[in-house]
Amino acid sequence: MSGLDTRSKSTYIDGAWRDGESGETYTSWSPSTEKPVGTAQLSSPAQVDAAVASARAAFEGRDWRGYGPKDRAAVVTRFADLLEKNTEPLARLIADEVGTPIGAARGMQVGGPVEALRWYAEMAERGPRGGYAHALPLYDKPVLSTSLLRYEPAGVLAALPAYNYPINLLAWKLGGALASGCTTVVLPSPQGMQTTLRVFELLDELDLPPGVVNLVVGGPDIGQRLTGHPDVDLVSFTGSDAVGGQVMAQSALGSLSKAVLELGGKSPNIILPSADLDATVAPSILRFARNAGQGCAAWSRVLVPEDRLDEFCAKADAFIRTIAVGDPQDDTTVVGPVISAAHRDKVEGMVSDAVAAGATVAAGGGRPDLATGHYLNPAILTGVDVDAPIAQTELFAPIAIALPYSDVDDAMRIANATSYGLAANVFGPLDEAMPVAERLRSGTVTINGGAGMRPDAPWGGPGRSGVGRELGEDGFAEFFEVKHIQWPLAGVTRPPGT
């Protein structure tokens, strides 16, 4: 589809593409070229109702319920195969719509979802917590009895992925739903809409029973209609903590449905006194500047021994000058644009406010000299109070705060002085870093940079970083309700207490 086309059939309900009926359109603009990526007609509230009704009918119908664990595993595997087969065009589309540099997009934005889906396929066969049914030990009060725990799919899922990793976040939600036997209504972020539409074209090739997967597109009104719908059983949302709180309230008022929320972060990156400072500079910067800083686990607070802060910033400034900022379609680019001009203006405003309050841009900063695109150079600020707005707010930009500390206890105080708790990192010898990792209030802690994003490890964190988990055994279990079945071994008995 060319950037000038308007896609009318942007809503997928009951196994068929339909025209969006709201009478409104949304155009996705490339943050690098500032040209339109595509325009879509938006769904109406009535189409949200129709999508949920279709998902409910599919969940309760015989066709989808007839898919056993191996059948569902095969579906998820075929989904992964289709994504993998289309890696290059999907990565190019994400580079255009989101701005992720193509060299990273192939792996992070497409390869990661493929790996997660293949893990979900394995889980479909294994079942949650090691199986779909678990026997409990015998119980002898008031009579000898036995019990069985059955894990059954939760029902209709409302899935709302964010724009920054549109396929990843969709795969985490849809992969778990398909593997567990749930049915789904997806509402993507408008800023990742074109990528999601393309993924649904691939999903259509799976020939699933009508209603198993559905797609609506729109803004906050459509989100409120979906998350507050009385026939939704589970909501899975990725986005800001402010919107996440609204989603939780809407789901509670709608059907008291369970909400799994993966929200923001202001992740600390602690460089211990014994760490090799030179070795920490590049990974520290690349981690907070990855995807132009548009990641909830960006190491956006760098904690440095106070006597080495100036040295770290000097080395950081030298390294930032080597980073290629620019066209995300260029394989040599390391940092692409932020999502919009409005978002860049907001970030620059926060940096200006911090500088006016006494902060210093100690490394990098400013905009690259490019004719088009919403670019920011990576930057590190110093002279910021721990509780300053820029030190407490998730920026979603390649900007970090360097905070000096006097000793490890002081570093722990600073690191945990946040309402978030999604991720953290510690640089230093393992025997010193491990006790620090154990003291951090964080859902995930890496040491010396960790490694890849494991689909078998849970993702999420305490505080305003969210509720529940995605991925891992804990994340897969979110897609289920557990049923306890109990019976006496001696036949029919009187109810306890009678």
Side-chain angles (χ1 to χ4, degrees):
M1 182 176 73
S2 76
L4 299 179
D5 292 336
T6 295
R7 178 176 180 141
S8 61
K9 295 190 180 299
S10 57
T11 301
Y12 189 81
I13 299 174
D14 211 33
W17 288 102
R18 304 185 184 184
D19 292 344
E21 297 176 353
S22 70
E24 299 177 354
T25 62
Y26 180 88
T27 298
S28 177
W29 294 85
S30 170
S32 58
T33 66
E34 301 183 45
K35 295 178 180 179
V37 179
T39 299
Q41 289 185 197
L42 301 183
S43 310
S44 68
Q47 288 183 302
V48 174
D49 296 342
V52 174
S54 176
R56 173 60 61 193
F59 180 71
E60 296 179 352
R62 293 182 178 179
D63 289 350
W64 181 235
R65 288 210 173 239
Y67 279 60
K70 289 186 177 181
D71 301 316
R72 297 196 302 274
V75 166
V76 179
T77 297
R78 280 164 40 218
F79 185 19
D81 291 344
L82 284 170
L83 290 182
E84 190 169 48
K85 181 181 177 181
N86 288 273
T87 292
E88 189 64 18
L90 287 170
R92 291 289 176 184
L93 178 56
I94 288 175
D96 196 22
E97 184 173 35
V98 177
T100 305
I102 187 64
R106 295 186 185 100
M108 287 196 311
Q109 296 277 22
V110 186
V114 169
E115 183 183 9
L117 288 170
R118 297 203 189 287
W119 178 80
Y120 272 126
E122 295 175 8
M123 294 302 294
E125 293 204 51
R126 285 177 49 199
R129 312 292 191 195
Y132 289 96
H134 298 182
L136 293 180
L138 294 175
Y139 185 71
D140 62 0
K141 294 181 179 63
V143 297
L144 192 63
S145 67
T146 190
S147 290
L148 187 70
L149 299 182
R150 280 181 50 84
Y151 288 89
E152 301 177 348
V156 175
L157 166 71
L160 293 86
Y163 75 82
N164 55 328
Y165 289 97
I167 303 180
N168 257 302
L169 301 173
L170 179 61
W172 291 7
K173 301 174 194 310
L174 202 49
L178 292 170
S180 65
C182 292
T183 58
T184 308
V185 180
V186 173
L187 171 62
S189 164
Q191 292 164 313
M193 187 184 300
Q194 295 299 320
T195 299
T196 307
L197 287 167
R198 177 60 189 131
V199 172
F200 260 78
E201 291 174 349
L202 298 177
L203 281 167
D204 193 39
E205 297 181 25
L206 297 179
D207 293 324
L208 293 170
V212 172
V213 293
N214 303 272
L215 173 70
V216 293
V217 292
D221 60 326
I222 297 301
Q224 291 167 11
R225 185 80 164 212
L226 178 59
T227 58
H229 200 286
D231 220 14
V232 165
D233 301 298
L234 172 65
V235 175
S236 180
F237 169 83
T238 304
S240 71
D241 56 314
V243 177
Q246 295 175 24
V247 167
M248 175 172 274
Q250 288 155 196
S251 64
L253 291 172
S255 65
L256 277 178
S257 56
K258 180 169 68 172
V260 176
L261 310 175
E262 197 270 277
L263 309 177
K266 196 69 177 177
S267 302
N269 171 28
I270 303 173
I271 301 174
L272 293 177
S274 54
D276 179 348
L277 190 71
D278 287 344
T280 70
V281 172
S284 293
I285 294 164
L286 294 173
R287 191 60 183 80
F288 76 72
R290 186 172 72 182
N291 206 29
Q294 296 167 122
C296 49
W299 300 345
S300 53
R301 294 184 299 142
V302 187
L303 279 63
V304 186
E306 57 187 9
D307 60 347
R308 305 198 72 181
L309 180 63
D310 291 343
E311 179 187 0
F312 175 83
C313 289
K315 294 177 183 294
D317 185 63
F319 181 76
I320 287 172
R321 294 177 188 278
T322 71
I323 293 177
V325 180
D327 181 5
Q329 300 290 354
D330 187 333
D331 273 287
T332 65
T333 295
V334 176
V335 176
V338 296
I339 195 65
S340 67
H343 183 60
R344 180 176 63 179
D345 291 346
K346 177 183 176 181
V347 171
E348 288 179 328
M350 292 198 69
V351 171
S352 294
D353 289 346
V355 170
T360 298
V361 180
R367 299 181 182 183
D369 184 16
L370 297 169
T372 61
H374 314 310
Y375 296 98
L376 286 169
N377 291 320
I380 296 176
L381 276 64
T382 57
V384 176
D385 291 336
V386 173
D387 58 355
I390 202 167
Q392 293 293 321
T393 303
E394 184 181 49
L395 295 182
F396 250 47
I399 310 293
I401 312 301
L403 298 164
Y405 67 87
S406 58
D407 55 28
V408 171
D409 286 339
D410 189 37
M412 299 308 307
R413 177 188 64 80
I414 296 170
N416 288 329
T418 174
S419 58
Y420 298 108
L422 185 61
N425 180 69
V426 185
F427 281 115
L430 183 60
D431 61 339
E432 296 180 31
M434 185 63 73
V436 173
E438 292 170 354
R439 294 172 63 186
L440 285 165
R441 186 172 182 264
S442 179
T444 294
V445 181
T446 53
I447 294 176
N448 293 326
M453 184 82 179
R454 300 182 57 142
D456 61 344
W459 183 250
R464 298 193 70 84
S465 285
V467 177
R469 292 294 187 270
E470 293 192 283
L471 299 178
E473 290 278 3
D474 297 276
F476 190 46
E478 301 281 10
F479 293 92
F480 293 87
E481 292 289 346
V482 60
K483 177 186 290 181
H484 175 210
I485 303 174
Q486 183 183 38
W487 64 96
L489 297 185
V492 178
T493 63
R494 290 171 63 91
T498 64

